[in-house]
Amino acid sequence: MSEKDQPQSNSRRNFLKNSGIAIGGAVIGGAAISSVFLGRKTQQAQPAAPKPVEYNQALMFFNQEQYQITEAAAERIFPKDELGPGAKELGVAFYIDHQLASPWGINARDYMMGPFVKGEPTQGNQSQMRRADLFLLGLQGLKDYSQKKYNKDFQNLAENEQNDVLKVFEKGEEFTLNGATTKSFFSLLRSYTIEGVYSDPMYGGNKDMMGWKMRNYPGNQMSYTDLIEKDEFIKMEPMSLRDHMSH
């Protein structure tokens, strides 16, 4: 039977066979053939994977201005230096925002019924004002005092000016809030800032566990039984609560 008299299926088989010889001696599939003829296109660099979105870095309590004031104030309390990032980079303002939006912000577990009397210094805060309300009052105070003294908003002041404003609030003498002291607000701000630096990242602060890494703190390890009797200091990569999800 001549070549032209062969069935069409045999002709197709011969074509594939000859094509395989032409491009390397083996019969290959359609996708591979496409990659040969369109090699230039397939060799193009693939686009970089998009950076994961950190969905917990979103406001639940503050408006934008309140967030900016909090971020600037927290950065002055825990500033960036040669040892590592400051409160801003660690996401402390998000931590504070989330705490104030939680039951903690409304003193849900505290007895908040009267009568209210002035407590002793050793008794801590005895105010009838909820933490969230005190914090908002303090932020407004930072804004008002900054405008009064510098004619600028707190977040727009120079660092030394921000430090001076916070020192005034820490002393609680020169400027007063309506129904609370600047000293009580500053104490709350400072406590929240330190918590945000060193809390588990699931709460919004301590981004990438950088606060722990600066202190060589191991975070939430499953066990120390194989290390507890060692005499030397053991440096460990910190673990967050999220790291245990794969176990």
Side-chain angles (χ1 to χ4, degrees), residues 42-183:
T42 59
Q43 292 174 7
Q44 290 180 350
Q46 296 297 319
K51 186 177 180 180
V53 177
E54 299 185 46
Y55 291 101
N56 69 331
Q57 292 197 346
L59 298 181
M60 302 169 62
F61 180 78
F62 292 140
N63 60 33
Q64 286 292 330
E65 183 182 48
Q66 292 162 350
Y67 167 76
Q68 292 167 6
I69 296 174
T70 301
E71 185 178 58
E75 180 69 15
R76 300 319 313 142
I77 293 174
F78 196 92
K80 179 179 180 179
D81 60 16
E82 68 279 0
L83 299 178
K88 180 177 180 179
E89 190 174 348
L90 291 169
V92 167
F94 287 113
Y95 169 84
I96 297 175
D97 172 85
H98 296 177
Q99 290 300 304
L100 294 176
S102 75
W104 176 258
I106 59 173
N107 300 62
R109 295 190 177 185
D110 297 344
Y111 182 80
M112 298 294 290
M113 303 295 290
F116 295 94
V117 296
K118 184 178 180 180
E120 296 296 328
T122 55
Q123 292 179 301
N125 180 38
Q126 298 293 314
S127 172
Q128 67 188 77
M129 187 174 294
R130 300 182 304 177
R131 297 182 185 96
D133 296 331
L134 172 59
F135 209 92
L136 292 182
L137 189 65
L139 293 180
Q140 185 63 45
L142 287 177
K143 177 180 179 179
D144 293 343
Y145 183 77
S146 299
Q147 283 286 352
K148 177 181 178 181
K149 187 170 183 178
Y150 298 104
N151 199 30
K152 290 187 292 185
D153 289 334
F154 178 84
Q155 64 271 30
N156 296 326
L157 298 178
E159 291 181 355
N160 63 309
E161 295 171 336
Q162 292 175 342
N163 289 340
D164 290 341
V165 171
L166 290 175
K167 287 177 182 177
V168 168
F169 273 55
E170 182 181 17
K171 293 179 181 178
E173 299 172 354
E174 183 177 331
F175 186 77
T176 59
L177 303 176
N178 184 20
T181 66
T182 60
K183 191 172 183 178

Side-chain angles (χ1 to χ4, degrees), residues 220-223 239-247:
N220 193 280
Q221 301 287 333
M222 294 293 286
S223 173
M239 296 182 67
S240 69
L241 292 171
R242 184 183 183 279
D243 290 323
H244 302 316
M245 293 298 294
S246 59
H247 295 284

Side-chain angles (χ1 to χ4, degrees), residues 11-28 33 36-37:
S11 298
R12 185 180 298 115
R13 188 177 300 113
N14 288 334
F15 169 76
L16 291 174
K17 181 178 179 181
N18 293 334
S19 298
I21 294 173
I23 59 177
V27 178
I28 57 178
I33 293 174
V36 172
F37 290 106

Side-chain angles (χ1 to χ4, degrees), residues 210-229:
M210 290 187 290
W212 289 348
K213 291 175 182 177
M214 285 189 289
R215 305 285 295 184
N216 288 324
Y217 178 68
N220 193 280
Q221 301 287 333
M222 294 293 286
S223 173
Y224 299 96
T225 55
D226 58 333
L227 303 172
I228 197 168
E229 294 186 358

